[in-house]
Amino acid sequence: MSWRLSIKIKLSLMMSFSLFIILGLNIALSYYTTQENLQQDSEKRTVSAAKQIALAMEQNQDNAEVIKKQISKNLWLSAKFAANMLDPDINKVTTEQLEELSEQTGVTDISLMIQTDDDIIVSKSSDPNEIGLSTRKMTFWYQAFTQLFENHQVNIPQGITFENFWSNGFEYATSDPENINIWGYYHDGKRNYIINPFMNADQIEDYVLFFNPEGIIKKFQDVNPSILSIAGINPITFGQPSMSQDGTDELNFKFVTKPVFFGTYRYGDIEADKAAVNKAIETGNNVSYTAVVDGKKVLKNMIPIMNTTGRSYVISIVTDYREIESVISEQLISHIAVSLVLLEIVIFGSYVFASAYTKPIQTVLSKVNEVGDGHFKYDLKLKRNDELGQLSNGINAMIRNLGHYTNRLKQMYEENRAVKEHLESVINQTADAIHITDERGNIIQVNRAFEQLYGWSGKEIIGNPLSNIPEELMEEECEQRKKLQSGQTIPSNESYRFAKDGSRVEVSVSTAPVRDDEGEITGFISISRDITARKRMEELLRRSEKLTTVGQLAAGVAHEIRNPLTTLRGFIQLQQQTQKMNPRHIDLMLSELDRINLIVGEFLILAKPQAANFTPKDIRFIMGDVISLLDNQAHMLGIEFVLDADIPTIVHCGENQLKQVFINLLKNSMEAMPDGGKIEIQILLTSDHHAEIVIRDEGEGVPEDLLPKLGEPFFTSKESGTGLGLMVSQRLIQAHKGTFEIESEYGKGTTVTIVMPALNKRNSNENSKDEQ
């Protein structure tokens, strides 16, 4: 029962939670959609209001232009009247005259302006604040004044012109920025000054109606209470360092330069608003964004406006965001209420649905529990045509298959266990030491032979790396592992390892990778065979062969020495009997003694070769020295040496020993050529970096049946030879890690080939003989 209730509750909660998420997403989507729509609607209304304000401003400006022209004409007439009344020389004009003329013409004040070397200034005026005023920094105003002095007429696009007259309309007074005046400037070329009549805006009827847009702005705010602020922004000077937070600017206070030329700048953030103004001017589109100013959330709209003169400016309208938030809150509350009602209905309905759905599931679960306990003999009886019925049939099929496969697995397990035991028995009984490592070199398994050979037990070494490889063989071992990992096979090699007690063990090691089902290497298996006994036997055999050779040499030496000793004994006995000294006998006796000394010297070389200091030498130079030594003797016998050695051939050698070898070989060739001829000597580098020396003569050659005996001690075909020279030469070449081969054809000549390791490579740059 508790299971049924938990399933019902889980299913009901799951459905309710799903609905809760859907409703939450719907509310969130509705919230953001409504917010976006309300903001767009507010933007449309503010854009419409801005366009109406701009239109009203343009209409007022059109009316203002008419008034400015009329007032400018009155100022022109006043200036002409003053010109007729004033002396052409400014020095003869008094302030009292200017005050009197101001009252007569109906203007506020009259000033007189003179031209200096670099400026145009107010020299005299009925208004003391104007005296001394400089105009050099007044941009196009100064340009207009200069043209009046030079041409008596102004041709700039700004302002209103009449004959000898120019006016730019209403503007803030430089001498008194609190006042707004309209000025006129007159110069007819008959005087040394400009007549400057001007009127204060307060004296002009309906000025506020036509030039001050505050009334229009107030009407819009009365109709739209959510509008908090409306301002006309000059994008050129807005945000300058001299601008204050309220929009005023000490440096830019003229109509054309004011940052905010109408309305009020409230809820402002100068840096953010400046970026929005620039973006609106650049794109020509409305820029809208929300901001929090003094704890109040507002929606700001920057609308770009292009007036009839081609001048662009921006109207900033700030609205209260509470209007939007109130509408959103109402809709949000309505959505939440509806969602709660739906959620309650779904919770009740899901619980009822779960009750009907969980009953057949309980039956299925009880059968699954029985299968989990290992009972595969019962079928699930659930007669339904829906998915649960299909699930019941599938479970029945699964139970039958599980029973079948379980029996198969048991059988295979028993077979695998038997095979494993058999393999472990074979591995443990083999005489070779076997150990298996993982990829990191840690021991996984060892057999008994390993424990007996190296002394480590399985318990103390499994899981740890094997450290019985000598340091001098570690690099070779790493190279073999790399080859195995790259897929190459490594033949068994003879080496040595250390046992646990530090003793040296001579072994033959064979290593192979262990791969998984996918062919990836998971470890390595190494088989070590103890070859200590075999090595000892091989050493005994080598010693036996050496003793045999020594015996043969000793027998040969004894035989060779016995003959001259017999001759010496005979001559000595003869002289003892005759009591006479025969000089010819003495020469023969000395000759036999020299022969004995030669045999003993060569035998000593074989028994104990002289130690040589091996240094890098060029074989060409060693051979050249030998040829120079034998050249005179060869010339007497009609023999010519032909040397072919163009490439430097450097070997690591004992120079005197190689000279002895070359002298023996060349003398043998010379003695085999009684009728003279050529002895060809070729020295070259092979592709596998070896030096090859070939000596080829045109002598009598050696019969084929005698070739195998060449190099044996005391075998010679010469009457005075000992047979040890060729053997000594072979030993010296072997000491240089080289090979010595003899080829001969009887009646045609003999070829001797010596191959030794070279230090330089075949394709290296050839050096000259001087450099060598």
Side-chain angles (χ1 to χ4, degrees):
M1 186 64 179
S2 61
W3 174 86
R4 184 186 301 176
L5 289 176
S6 64
I7 289 294
K8 288 180 183 179
I9 293 172
K10 289 179 180 179
L11 188 58
S12 178
L13 289 176
M14 184 172 60
M15 296 176 66
S16 302
F17 182 70
S18 301
L19 179 63
F20 177 77
I21 293 176
I22 294 172
L23 292 175
L25 292 174
N26 181 58
I27 291 172
L29 180 62
S30 176
Y31 173 82
Y32 288 110
T33 303
T34 303
Q35 184 183 43
E36 186 68 22
N37 291 336
L38 290 174
Q39 286 188 5
Q40 291 179 359
D41 182 64
S42 177
E43 290 176 23
K44 290 179 181 178
R45 286 191 281 112
T46 54
V47 170
S48 177
K51 291 181 178 179
Q52 293 178 22
I53 294 172
L55 181 61
M57 290 291 296
E58 290 179 5
Q59 292 175 351
N60 279 7
Q61 288 177 357
D62 292 340
N63 296 332
E65 288 296 322
V66 175
I67 295 174
K68 284 195 294 184
K69 287 181 180 179
Q70 183 61 44
I71 296 173
S72 297
K73 188 172 184 180
N74 293 338
L75 292 174
W76 174 54
L77 295 174
S78 299
K80 290 178 68 176
F81 177 78
N84 293 328
M85 301 299 294
L86 296 174
D87 192 280
D89 187 2
I90 192 171
N91 294 321
K92 298 179 180 181
V93 178
T94 63
T95 303
E96 290 77 10
Q97 287 180 301
L98 296 177
E99 292 175 351
E100 183 179 352
L101 283 173
S102 298
E103 292 180 2
Q104 289 178 2
T105 58
V107 299
T108 304
D109 286 292
I110 296 177
S111 299
L112 302 182
M113 304 170 67
I114 63 172
Q115 188 175 26
T116 64
D117 293 338
D118 59 350
D119 199 357
I120 297 174
I121 62 173
V122 177
S123 176
K124 293 185 178 181
S125 176
S126 59
D127 182 1
N129 295 326
E130 291 284 311
I131 296 175
L133 180 66
S134 171
T135 63
R136 186 164 51 88
K137 296 182 179 180
M138 292 185 180
T139 62
F140 65 88
W141 291 69
Y142 182 74
Q143 184 182 358
F145 302 154
T146 304
Q147 291 181 4
L148 278 176
F149 271 114
E150 294 176 355
N151 305 321
H152 321 307
Q153 197 69 31
V154 177
N155 59 3
I156 63 176
Q158 297 92 342
I160 301 168
T161 60
F162 294 104
E163 183 182 4
N164 303 327
F165 179 86
W166 178 79
S167 175
N168 191 42
F170 289 92
E171 188 56 88
Y172 288 93
T174 303
S175 60
D176 186 7
E178 297 295 329
N179 288 326
I180 298 176
N181 298 332
I182 182 170
W183 290 270
Y185 303 92
Y186 178 84
H187 186 267
D188 55 4
K190 299 176 181 180
R191 59 197 74 249
N192 59 0
Y193 57 86
I194 291 175
I195 300 174
N196 170 216
F198 60 91
M199 296 180 66
N200 189 273
D202 294 338
Q203 295 180 285
I204 301 172
E205 185 179 359
D206 294 332
Y207 165 77
V208 174
L209 177 62
F210 293 108
F211 294 96
N212 193 344
E214 298 300 329
I216 300 172
I217 293 174
K218 188 175 183 305
K219 289 181 181 180
F220 273 99
Q221 288 181 322
D222 292 341
V223 175
N224 300 287
S226 62
I227 297 178
L228 302 176
S229 171
I230 299 177
I233 295 176
N234 184 352
I236 298 175
T237 59
F238 184 83
Q240 296 294 330
S242 57
M243 176 180 165
S244 301
Q245 191 64 36
D246 60 355
T248 60
D249 194 328
E250 295 178 347
L251 300 179
N252 301 299
F253 56 86
K254 300 289 187 179
F255 278 128
V256 294
T257 60
K258 288 176 63 176
V260 179
F261 55 85
F262 70 83
T264 56
Y265 182 64
R266 297 173 58 195
Y267 304 98
D269 181 350
I270 295 178
E271 186 175 350
D273 292 345
K274 181 181 180 182
V277 167
N278 293 337
K279 183 177 180 181
I281 292 295
E282 290 175 2
T283 62
N285 298 321
N286 173 41
V287 177
S288 177
Y289 59 98
T290 59
V292 177
V293 183
D294 296 333
K296 190 179 187 68
K297 188 174 183 180
V298 295
L299 178 64
K300 293 186 177 182
N301 292 275
M302 301 293 177
I303 302 98
I305 300 297
M306 178 74 73
N307 59 17
T308 55
T309 62
R311 178 185 172 193
S312 297
Y313 65 97
V314 173
I315 295 179
S316 170
I317 300 179
V318 181
T319 58
D320 194 345
Y321 202 79
R322 285 183 300 179
E323 181 180 358
I324 297 175
E325 287 180 337
S326 62
V327 176
I328 294 174
S329 299
E330 292 176 2
Q331 291 195 4
L332 185 62
I333 293 172
S334 176
H335 277 87
I336 291 175
V338 173
S339 298
L340 290 175
V341 173
L342 289 174
L343 189 61
E344 291 177 357
I345 294 173
V346 169
I347 290 174
F348 177 77
S350 62
Y351 184 79
V352 174
F353 174 76
S355 300
Y357 186 76
T358 55
K359 186 176 180 180
I361 294 179
Q362 182 183 15
T363 304
V364 173
L365 183 60
S366 62
K367 184 59 181 177
V368 171
N369 289 334
E370 291 180 2
V371 173
D373 294 335
H375 302 291
F376 303 104
K377 297 181 180 180
Y378 301 98
D379 290 335
L380 180 61
K381 297 179 180 179
L382 190 64
K383 296 181 180 180
R384 297 174 65 101
N385 295 324
D386 56 4
E387 286 79 2
L388 287 174
Q390 296 176 6
L391 176 63
S392 172
N393 295 331
I395 291 175
N396 288 331
M398 180 188 70
I399 292 172
R400 289 190 293 271
N401 291 332
L402 281 175
H404 174 69
Y405 290 132
T406 300
N407 293 332
R408 288 286 304 276
L409 286 174
K410 289 181 180 179
Q411 182 180 358
M412 293 174 65
Y413 171 77
E414 292 297 329
E415 293 176 355
N416 289 337
R417 185 175 60 83
V419 171
K420 180 182 178 182
E421 291 177 353
H422 177 70
L423 289 175
E424 289 180 349
S425 175
V426 171
I427 291 174
N428 286 325
Q429 295 300 324
T430 185
D432 294 333
I434 299 175
H435 69 276
I436 302 174
T437 61
D438 59 16
E439 287 183 301
R440 292 173 295 182
N442 296 325
I443 298 293
I444 299 175
Q445 185 178 357
V446 298
N447 66 345
R448 293 175 186 172
F450 178 90
E451 296 176 345
Q452 295 172 357
L453 180 62
Y454 293 113
W456 283 287
S457 65
K459 291 182 179 180
E460 63 181 327
I461 199 171
I462 288 178
N464 299 316
L466 183 61
S467 58
N468 69 337
I469 302 176
E471 289 186 6
E472 60 270 19
L473 299 179
M474 285 300 297
E475 184 176 354
E476 179 183 352
E477 183 71 14
C478 293
E479 289 295 327
Q480 290 183 354
R481 287 296 175 94
K482 290 180 181 178
K483 290 181 180 180
L484 290 172
Q485 290 174 345
S486 64
Q488 301 182 36
T489 57
I490 303 298
S492 60
N493 63 308
E494 295 183 0
S495 183
Y496 68 93
R497 297 290 186 266
F498 292 125
K500 180 181 178 181
D501 57 4
S503 61
R504 174 168 170 160
V505 181
E506 300 288 340
V507 291
S508 173
V509 182
S510 176
T511 306
V514 179
R515 301 180 184 272
D516 57 14
D517 295 338
E518 297 179 356
E520 297 294 332
I521 295 177
T522 59
F524 299 92
I525 181 170
S526 296
I527 303 175
S528 303
R529 176 169 294 178
D530 188 0
I531 59 172
T532 304
R534 195 190 77 188
K535 285 283 186 180
R536 190 179 297 112
M537 183 61 68
E538 289 176 353
E539 181 64 24
L540 291 174
L541 288 174
R542 280 194 295 272
R543 291 182 180 180
S544 176
E545 290 177 356
K546 288 180 180 179
L547 291 174
T548 302
T549 303
V550 169
Q552 291 176 353
L553 287 172
V557 168
H559 176 75
E560 291 296 325
I561 291 176
R562 181 179 296 172
N563 292 331
L565 285 177
T566 302
T567 304
L568 288 171
R569 181 180 178 84
F571 282 122
I572 291 172
Q573 287 177 348
L574 179 61
Q575 292 180 7
Q576 186 179 20
Q577 291 174 2
T578 59
Q579 296 294 319
K580 292 181 179 181
M581 184 69 67
N582 190 335
R584 195 167 65 86
H585 292 170
I586 292 174
D587 292 337
L588 290 175
M589 291 170 65
L590 290 174
S591 174
E592 292 299 317
L593 287 173
D594 289 338
R595 177 174 173 79
I596 293 171
N597 186 53
L598 175 63
I599 293 171
V600 173
E602 291 184 341
F603 179 76
L604 288 176
I605 291 175
L606 290 174
K608 186 180 180 180
Q610 297 177 356
N613 183 18
F614 280 29
T615 57
K617 294 291 181 179
D618 193 334
I619 295 179
R620 299 179 302 167
F621 302 149
I622 297 175
M623 183 63 75
D625 292 343
V626 173
I627 292 175
S628 299
L629 180 65
L630 301 177
D631 191 55
N632 290 332
Q633 183 181 354
H635 185 70
M636 294 175 62
L637 298 175
I639 296 173
E640 178 186 0
F641 293 115
V642 180
L643 178 62
D644 179 12
D646 296 331
I647 300 174
T649 309
I650 312 300
V651 297
H652 201 63
C653 66
E655 182 177 3
N656 292 331
Q657 292 184 354
L658 285 187
K659 284 183 178 180
Q660 182 179 353
V661 172
F662 296 155
I663 290 172
N664 287 343
L665 295 177
L666 292 179
K667 277 189 173 183
N668 286 343
S669 297
M670 291 166 61
E671 292 173 356
M673 299 170 61
D675 300 329
K678 291 183 181 181
I679 298 177
E680 296 179 359
I681 304 166
Q682 186 178 18
I683 301 174
L684 52 87
L685 275 174
T686 64
S687 59
D688 56 349
H689 315 313
H690 281 77
E692 185 173 296
I693 304 100
V694 180
I695 299 174
R696 186 180 297 106
D697 62 43
E698 298 176 349
E700 298 175 351
V702 180
E704 185 177 355
D705 58 333
L706 298 181
L707 278 176
K709 296 183 179 181
L710 292 179
E712 292 183 0
F714 307 109
F715 173 79
T716 180
S717 60
K718 297 181 291 184
E719 295 180 358
S720 61
T722 63
L724 295 178
L726 197 56
M727 187 176 183
V728 169
S729 298
Q730 288 178 333
R731 291 290 181 90
L732 291 177
I733 295 301
Q734 288 174 1
H736 286 74
K737 298 181 180 180
T739 59
F740 190 103
E741 294 183 0
I742 300 175
E743 297 179 359
S744 183
E745 186 175 355
Y746 188 68
K748 293 186 177 181
T750 302
T751 301
V752 179
T753 303
I754 299 172
V755 178
M756 300 170 60
L759 295 182
N760 57 327
K761 296 183 179 179
R762 180 169 183 169
N763 295 327
S764 62
N765 295 330
E766 297 183 8
N767 299 324
S768 65
K769 292 185 179 181
D770 295 336
E771 292 175 336
Q772 295 293 340

